[in-house]
Amino acid sequence: MSEQTSASIFSKGERLPASYFSGDAFLYPLVSKDKNNEFALGSVTFEPGARTYWHTHPKGQVLIVTEGEGFTQERGKPARALKKGDVVNIAENTEHWHGASANRKLVHIAIANYKGNENVVWLQPVTEQEYNQVNQK
Amino acid sequence: MSEQTSASIFSKGERLPASYFSGDAFLYPLVSKDKNNEFALGSVTFEPGARTYWHTHPKGQVLIVTEGEGFTQERGKPARALKKGDVVNIAENTEHWHGASANRKLVHIAIANYKGNENVVWLQPVTEQEYNQVNQK
């Protein structure tokens, strides 16, 4: 497992559940939904090979890549490679996944907007075949 | 003027106006308000000595410090020292300022929530006396 480096802004935090994440993924929560902030804010660390399940956000999500390398992919589209400084504005109700590359970890801040009390809908895992296809390009 | 280092996530962007900022401050915009994101998202770089004017946010603001050292202060309260990894959740309609320390630059991501079409109300400059008092502690 990779260690935090001097480049890391936050601690890795707590392990994310295997029911929604494949591999070793961690969440360091920053700000919870409150009367002003209609989103959950946190830093997510994906160890090499780790990624989310396919999922949607009912009111979208913004990712800010702070370290490492990875991918995000919308269902039926080519994957987008991610590196430090990239910002992804994910539309509402759009099936997608994000995670590390096979050989490098990925760290991003996530701003997950709430629609009512919901900010994510989890779907099925990203299969090894789906993940390997993205990494082979 | 300090250069971007390998630690910097974003470019410095464009200079912020002297009517609202003292010293050399820069904005690199990341995401504008849209149908899902009810905030303006950007990275702000304050060169040493630079700071905002006193101001308020009608629906609050979140700061995420990504590099350097600085301060934030609410009117009538002691200043809070800021360093990489600190997160500040600023309440609505609360007079405050933020900026670099006298000798180190400060870089933070800002999430400025909108109330209607407004996300900031600018007030008067932070005086040299106010700023020096914070830095002397």
Side-chain angles (χ1 to χ4, degrees):
Chain A
M1 191 177 299
S2 67
E3 296 300 311
Q4 295 299 92
T5 70
S6 63
S8 299
I9 301 171
F10 305 106
S11 301
K12 282 182 10 179
E14 298 296 317
R15 180 179 293 272
L16 284 160
S19 43
Y20 303 132
F21 293 81
S22 301
D24 296 324
F26 299 83
L27 172 66
Y28 185 78
L30 298 174
V31 174
S32 299
K33 182 175 185 287
D34 61 28
K35 65 176 176 175
N36 288 326
N37 302 301
E38 297 175 43
F39 48 77
L41 179 69
S43 176
V44 185
T45 298
F46 297 92
E47 296 295 338
R51 67 268 187 182
T52 68
Y53 279 29
W54 290 98
H55 62 287
T56 65
H57 301 284
K59 200 164 181 280
Q61 182 185 48
V62 175
L63 305 179
I64 305 169
V65 179
T66 54
E67 193 180 343
E69 289 176 11
F71 297 98
T72 185
Q73 184 177 28
E74 289 185 19
R75 176 71 79 185
K77 296 190 178 176
R80 173 181 166 188
L82 298 178
K83 65 180 190 310
K84 181 173 163 177
D86 284 346
V87 175
V88 188
N89 191 351
I90 297 160
E92 70 281 8
N93 303 320
T94 301
E95 195 173 337
H96 72 290
W97 65 270
H98 31 110
S101 71
N103 301 314
R104 293 283 309 278
K105 77 173 188 177
L106 177 75
V107 186
H108 66 57
I109 293 169
I111 307 172
N113 297 312
Y114 278 89
K115 182 175 183 178
N117 289 315
E118 194 172 64
N119 70 352
V120 60
V121 177
W122 291 108
L123 305 167
Q124 69 275 39
V126 176
T127 65
E128 289 297 310
Q129 187 181 0
E130 287 170 327
Y131 184 71
N132 290 340
Q133 194 167 24
V134 164
N135 272 274
Q136 278 164 5
K137 284 182 181 168
Chain B
M1 193 176 297
S2 68
E3 296 301 311
Q4 295 300 90
T5 69
S6 62
S8 300
I9 301 172
F10 305 106
S11 300
K12 281 179 14 177
E14 298 296 317
R15 180 180 294 273
L16 284 160
S19 42
Y20 304 132
F21 293 81
S22 300
D24 296 324
F26 299 83
L27 172 65
Y28 185 77
L30 298 175
V31 174
S32 299
K33 183 176 185 287
D34 60 29
K35 65 176 176 174
N36 288 327
N37 303 301
E38 296 175 44
F39 48 77
L41 179 68
S43 176
V44 185
T45 298
F46 298 92
E47 297 294 337
R51 69 266 188 184
T52 67
Y53 279 29
W54 290 98
H55 62 288
T56 65
H57 300 284
K59 199 163 182 282
Q61 182 185 47
V62 174
L63 305 179
I64 305 168
V65 179
T66 54
E67 193 181 343
E69 291 177 10
F71 298 98
T72 185
Q73 184 178 28
E74 289 185 20
R75 176 72 78 185
K77 295 188 179 177
R80 172 182 165 187
L82 297 178
K83 64 181 189 311
K84 181 174 163 176
D86 284 345
V87 175
V88 188
N89 191 350
I90 297 161
E92 70 282 7
N93 303 320
T94 302
E95 195 173 335
H96 72 289
W97 66 270
H98 31 110
S101 71
N103 301 314
R104 292 285 309 277
K105 77 173 187 177
L106 176 76
V107 186
H108 66 57
I109 293 168
I111 307 172
N113 297 313
Y114 278 89
K115 183 175 184 178
N117 288 315
E118 193 171 63
N119 70 352
V120 60
V121 177
W122 291 108
L123 304 168
Q124 68 277 37
V126 176
T127 65
E128 288 298 309
Q129 187 182 0
E130 288 170 327
Y131 184 72
N132 290 340
Q133 194 168 23
V134 164
N135 272 275
Q136 279 164 6
K137 283 182 180 169

